[in-house]
């Protein structure tokens, strides 16, 4: 019997047009009346070959993308579909929460502005630097203090907002006034005489609303507490709490929020420079409204949003389970490959090949899912008015949505045109980090130098944080002229130093360091482009998978179960043909 007819009959029995063998299998025909055997059978035992073929098959399937897995085994890409659904749901949830959070932020900001106009005398509407306003005479200090007290006393008659006094369980908490001053001392600037005890004394009084309502302002002015000795006065602080209700949420079909405003007015005289700065600070805390009774469709709308948040949690929990399962299976496959490589080739797998099994995108999805689940639970509590941590919830939901959208790049990476960005970032990241560490040392040196030398003469160099922000703006070519022009010319030496400092920094970072930074990324991009044209460097893992590069997965005959069941043709590795 000739070899050709024998092969055709075997292929016919398999129901295919030709006999398909794995890439590691080569059929050798020994002659008529002899046995046809495989090279793998001659090279290794049957059990070892099966282990080798099974590992190669699992490795090849693991490194397929969802579309290839579907074509190979008709395996539905559940994770891909779930991620697409999750993107839509998480983004919708974030938009709804953002609209609700926007109402909270606007209500706090508008109340802060209203309080400043209510309690600060002659407030212009614009803060002076980091403080609200300032006074320069003793009479202005008294007028500003009693103006705030009087406004607090008649708040309900003059305020446009829904405000009320803080009420404790026993009584109303009122307006607390504290003054800090040095102990009695003598100061005679005319003859440079100073005798002072630096021990700080604090004295406070509390003015309750019901007492202020019946008390005349002249009686307060004549009180010994308000006889201030400005040469030893450090600061005067007025603090009081107010209640408020945000009714604009009703128009957004949400339950209203109740607020507690902790307001503090500070007359700062620490410098004793003749200018007393007035600081106004308010801290708003959202509290659960008591005896809340609102009719209409608001309650039903809240329930719908809570149900939607529940679906988001379920979808993220399912995604978390699937991705965790994939990582666990990948680690098991990695262990199999490492042990097989050590057993067969007597050497260890390199770290780069080990990392190939750890899918960073799955790790990113897991972190995103955990943050979304925690943030969604907090959002549901906030929606039900049982929790008021808007900032923490915003950070969790915002960061998780960022990670979700960044994860979309993974699916774009399956296309060679879009994959260049991901590969370039991966290749350039280690070099960029090392370069930034070196450049950061120079940057910190300029930061400290600018702060200590130019701080007294330039507002952008007053503190370390401002200096770092200013220098970063200069690196990006922003606000250069203003930085040069705002330096005070009180000291010629400092002015000359500022020119040398700024010119050297801009020249060094823009013309040299920034150019080298871009060159590193460009070099990585060129390298990736060459790899895509000529082939990427081959590692042990890639070489191992190459041996099975021509093996194909095929679907069996179509049946009623073909949508959910698929199989691969059995391997022909151990096939023996006998004439």
């Amino acid at each position: 019997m000739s070899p050709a007819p024998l092969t055709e009959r075997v292929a016919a029995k398999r129901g295919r047009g030709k006999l398909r063998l794995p890439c590691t299998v080569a059929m050798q025909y020994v002659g008529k009346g002899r046995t046809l055997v495989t090279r793998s059978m001659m090279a290794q035992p049957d059990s070892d070959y099966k282990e080798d073929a099974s590992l190669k098959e699992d490795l090849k399937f693991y490194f397929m993308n969802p579309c290839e897995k579907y074509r190979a085994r008709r395996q539905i890409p559940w994770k891909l579909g779930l991620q697409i659904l999750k993107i839509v749901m998480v983004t919708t949830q974030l938009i709804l929460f953002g609209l609700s959070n926007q109402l909270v932020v606007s209500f706090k900001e508008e109340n802060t502005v209203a309080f400043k106009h209510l309690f600060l005398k002659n407030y212009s509407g614009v803060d002076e630097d980091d403080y609200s306003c300032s006074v320069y005479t003793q009479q202005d200090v008294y007028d500003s203090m009693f103006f705030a007290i009087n406004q607090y006393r008649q708040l309900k008659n003059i305020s446009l907002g829904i405000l009320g006094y803080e009420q404790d369980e026993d009584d109303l908490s009122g307006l607390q006034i504290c003054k800090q001053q040095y102990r009695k001392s003598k100061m005679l600037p005319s003859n440079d005489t100073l005798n002072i005890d630096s021990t700080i004394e604090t004295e406070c009084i509390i003015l309750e609303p019901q007492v202020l309502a019946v008390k005349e302002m002249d009686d307060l002015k004549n009180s010994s507490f308000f006889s201030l000795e400005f040469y030893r006065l450090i600061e005067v602080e007025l603090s009081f709490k107010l209640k408020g209700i945000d009714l604009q949420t009703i128009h957004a079909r949400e339950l209203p929020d109740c607020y507690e405003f902790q307001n503090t007015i500070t007359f700062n005289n620490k410098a004793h420079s003749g200018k007393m700065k007035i600081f106004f600070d308010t801290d708003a805390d959202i509290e659960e409204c008591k005896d809340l009774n609102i009719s209409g469709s608001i309650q039903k709308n809240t329930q719908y949003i809570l149900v939607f948040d529940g679906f988001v949690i379920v979808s993220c929990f399912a995604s978390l389970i699937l991705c965790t399962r994939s990582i666990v299976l990948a680690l098991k496959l990695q262990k199999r490959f490492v042990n097989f490589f050590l057993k067969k080739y007597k050497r260890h797998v390199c770290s780069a090949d080990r990392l190939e099994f750890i899918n960073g995108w799955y790790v990113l999805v897991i972190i995103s899912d955990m943050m979304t689940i925690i943030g969604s639970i907090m959002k549901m509590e906030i929606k039900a008015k049982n929790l008021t941590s808007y900032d923490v919830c915003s950070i969790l939901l915002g960061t998780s949505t960022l990670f979700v959208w960044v994860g979309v790049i993974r699916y774009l990476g399956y296309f060679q045109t879009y994959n260049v960005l991901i590969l370039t970032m991966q290749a350039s990241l280690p070099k960029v980090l090392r370069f930034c560490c070196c450049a950061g040392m120079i940057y910190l040196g300029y930061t400290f130098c600018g702060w200590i030398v130019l701080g007294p003469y330039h507002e952008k160099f007053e503190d370390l944080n401002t200096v770092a922000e200013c220098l970063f703006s200069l690196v990006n070519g922003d606000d250069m002229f203003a930085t040069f022009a705002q330096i005070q010319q009180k000291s010629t030496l400092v002015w000359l130093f500022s020119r040398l400092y700024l010119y050297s920094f801009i020249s060094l970072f823009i013309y040299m360091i920034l150019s080298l930074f871009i060159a590193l990324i460009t070099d990585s991009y060129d390298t990736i482009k060459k790899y895509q044209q000529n082939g990427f460097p081959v590692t042990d893992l890639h070489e191992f998978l190459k041996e099975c590069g021509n093996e194909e997965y095929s679907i069996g005959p179509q049946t009623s179960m073909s949508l959910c069941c698929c199989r691969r043709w059995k391997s022909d590795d151990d096939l023996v043909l006998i004439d």
Side-chain angles (χ1 to χ4, degrees):
M1 181 187 299
S2 62
L6 175 60
T7 304
E8 292 175 0
R9 287 202 302 272
V10 174
K13 291 181 180 180
R14 294 293 302 270
R16 302 179 62 83
K18 62 179 180 178
L19 182 63
R20 184 177 302 276
L21 300 177
C23 62
T24 56
V25 179
M27 303 299 295
Q28 290 184 338
Y29 186 73
V30 183
K32 184 175 181 181
R34 297 187 180 182
T35 304
L36 185 65
V37 298
T38 62
R39 289 179 184 173
S40 57
M41 290 180 60
M42 296 185 295
Q44 57 184 340
D46 184 66
S47 59
D48 293 343
Y49 180 78
K50 287 183 178 180
E51 180 184 359
D52 189 352
S54 175
L55 179 60
K56 289 178 180 177
E57 180 179 322
D58 293 340
L59 286 173
K60 181 179 179 182
F61 187 77
Y62 173 75
F63 288 106
M64 287 181 178
N65 61 47
C67 296
E68 292 173 343
K69 290 181 179 179
Y70 178 76
R71 288 194 296 266
R73 294 184 179 176
R74 289 293 187 265
Q75 178 174 311
I76 300 177
W78 297 108
K79 289 194 292 292
L80 174 59
L82 185 59
Q83 295 305 317
I84 296 175
L85 175 63
K86 194 179 69 173
I87 289 174
V88 177
M89 298 183 68
V90 169
T91 305
T92 304
Q93 181 193 46
L94 184 73
I95 293 174
L96 294 176
F97 181 74
L99 295 175
S100 177
N101 195 22
Q102 186 177 355
L103 298 178
V104 175
V105 174
S106 64
F107 184 76
K108 290 181 179 180
E109 291 178 349
E110 291 172 2
N111 273 274
T112 301
V113 175
F115 289 150
K116 289 182 178 180
H117 282 279
L118 279 174
F119 298 106
L120 298 181
K121 186 177 182 181
N122 299 326
Y123 179 67
S124 62
V126 179
D127 290 349
E128 301 178 14
D129 203 3
D130 60 336
Y131 53 92
S132 299
C133 56
S134 57
V135 291
Y136 299 91
T137 64
Q138 297 183 9
Q139 187 60 42
D140 289 340
V141 175
Y142 285 117
D143 292 342
S144 299
M145 290 174 53
F146 291 117
F147 176 81
I149 295 173
N150 188 48
Q151 293 290 94
Y152 176 81
R153 183 179 68 166
Q154 53 181 350
L155 179 65
K156 292 185 178 181
N157 298 327
I158 62 176
S159 175
L160 295 175
I162 306 176
L163 298 173
Y165 300 113
E166 168 70 14
Q167 184 174 4
D168 295 333
E169 295 180 357
D170 300 328
D171 199 1
L172 295 174
S173 62
L175 174 66
Q176 178 176 283
I177 306 175
C178 296
K179 61 179 181 180
Q180 294 182 1
Q181 54 190 4
Y182 299 116
R183 284 185 179 177
K184 290 284 186 179
S185 59
K186 291 183 180 180
M187 295 184 185
L188 298 174
S190 57
N191 56 2
D192 301 328
T193 301
L194 174 62
N195 183 13
I196 188 171
D197 187 348
S198 60
T199 303
I200 298 177
E201 297 178 337
T202 303
E203 186 179 355
C204 298
I205 61 172
I206 297 178
L207 303 176
E208 298 179 353
Q210 62 268 31
V211 175
L212 284 174
V214 297
K215 197 169 187 178
E216 296 293 335
M217 291 299 299
D218 293 336
D219 296 337
L220 289 176
K221 295 179 181 179
N222 296 329
S223 173
S224 60
F225 179 84
F226 292 99
S227 297
L228 304 177
E229 296 176 323
F230 290 93
Y231 68 90
R232 65 189 186 99
L233 179 67
I234 300 175
E235 69 176 25
V236 179
E237 183 180 277
L238 285 71
S239 59
F240 53 93
K241 293 181 180 180
L242 297 175
K243 290 282 191 177
I245 302 177
D246 183 11
L247 296 181
Q248 65 177 336
T249 55
I250 295 179
H251 300 286
R253 297 184 177 274
E254 296 183 9
L255 296 176
D257 292 322
C258 293
Y259 291 81
E260 179 185 274
F261 298 98
Q262 175 64 51
N263 300 314
T264 304
I265 305 174
T266 304
F267 295 81
N268 191 318
N269 193 42
K270 294 179 179 179
H272 289 83
S273 61
K275 175 181 179 180
M276 182 175 288
K277 300 177 182 179
I278 302 178
F279 296 85
F280 185 92
D281 181 65
T282 181
D283 186 18
D285 294 326
I286 304 176
E287 297 181 342
E288 182 181 357
C289 294
K290 299 178 180 179
D291 301 328
L292 191 63
N293 185 13
I294 300 176
S295 60
S297 59
I298 296 178
Q299 195 72 29
K300 184 180 293 185
N301 182 72
T302 302
Q303 294 176 354
Y304 289 153
I305 296 180
L306 292 177
V307 171
F308 177 75
D309 292 335
F311 279 115
V312 173
I313 294 176
V314 172
S315 64
C316 290
F317 191 72
S319 173
L320 178 64
I321 293 176
L322 291 175
C323 292
T324 304
R325 173 181 171 270
S326 298
I327 290 181
V328 172
L329 295 177
L331 293 176
K332 291 182 179 179
L333 185 60
Q334 180 199 61
K335 185 178 180 181
R336 285 177 55 194
F337 177 71
V338 171
N339 294 336
F340 175 82
F341 212 80
L342 183 62
K343 177 181 177 181
K344 184 175 181 180
Y345 300 105
K346 307 301 180 183
R347 57 193 179 93
H348 295 278
V349 178
C350 64
S351 58
D353 282 344
R354 290 173 181 265
L355 292 177
E356 289 284 347
F357 291 87
I358 308 299
N359 195 323
W361 296 112
Y362 287 160
V363 177
L364 186 69
V365 171
I366 290 175
I367 297 175
S368 173
D369 289 337
M370 294 177 63
M371 298 181 71
T372 303
I373 291 173
I374 298 174
S376 299
I377 294 174
M378 294 184 65
K379 179 179 179 294
M380 295 174 70
E381 291 294 319
I382 292 174
K383 199 69 179 179
K385 306 306 176 185
N386 298 325
L387 198 65
T388 59
S389 303
Y390 273 90
D391 293 336
V392 178
C393 185
S394 299
I395 293 174
L396 290 173
L397 293 182
T399 307
S400 65
T401 306
L402 169 64
F403 289 163
V404 166
W405 280 99
V406 170
V408 177
I409 302 178
R410 175 200 175 196
Y411 302 107
L412 295 178
Y414 294 143
F415 305 95
Q416 185 175 358
T417 306
Y418 300 98
N419 198 33
V420 175
L421 173 62
I422 302 175
L423 296 177
T424 304
M425 292 175 62
Q426 291 177 348
S428 62
L429 184 60
K431 300 178 183 178
V432 169
L433 292 179
R434 289 192 293 267
F435 181 80
C436 288
C437 289
C438 298
M441 301 300 103
I442 305 175
Y443 189 86
L444 286 176
Y446 271 93
T447 301
F448 286 113
C449 179
W451 171 56
I452 195 64
V453 178
L454 303 181
Y457 301 94
H458 201 299
E459 62 178 5
K460 293 184 179 181
F461 293 83
E462 291 179 351
D463 56 79
L464 285 173
N465 184 51
T466 308
V467 175
E469 294 173 355
C470 176
L471 295 182
F472 189 78
S473 299
L474 291 177
V475 171
N476 292 276
D478 184 31
D479 211 20
M480 284 191 181
F481 177 77
T483 304
F484 277 95
Q486 290 178 8
I487 186 70
Q488 299 178 13
Q489 301 186 17
K490 294 182 179 180
S491 173
T492 305
L493 180 62
V494 174
W495 186 86
L496 292 174
F497 178 85
S498 68
R499 265 45 192 171
L500 177 62
Y501 172 86
L502 292 175
Y503 279 123
S504 63
F505 176 81
I506 293 173
S507 301
L508 178 63
F509 272 83
I510 292 183
Y511 302 138
M512 182 178 296
I513 295 181
L514 189 59
S515 299
L516 290 174
F517 183 86
I518 298 174
L520 288 176
I521 302 176
T522 305
D523 180 66
S524 299
Y525 175 78
D526 293 337
T527 303
I528 296 300
K529 292 293 289 183
K530 292 179 181 178
Y531 283 163
Q532 287 185 334
Q533 295 174 359
N534 305 325
F536 287 83
V538 178
T539 63
D540 291 334
L541 176 62
H542 299 156
E543 189 68 32
F544 185 76
L545 291 175
K546 265 187 177 182
E547 298 178 9
C548 201
N550 297 325
E551 183 177 354
E552 296 182 4
Y553 289 85
S554 57
I555 309 303
Q558 297 294 328
T559 63
S560 59
M561 299 294 293
S562 61
L563 293 177
C564 58
C565 299
C566 57
R567 62 185 178 86
R568 177 178 175 268
W569 288 112
K570 292 182 179 180
S571 175
D572 299 329
D573 300 340
D574 55 352
L575 181 62
V576 178
L577 298 182
I578 302 176
D579 188 344

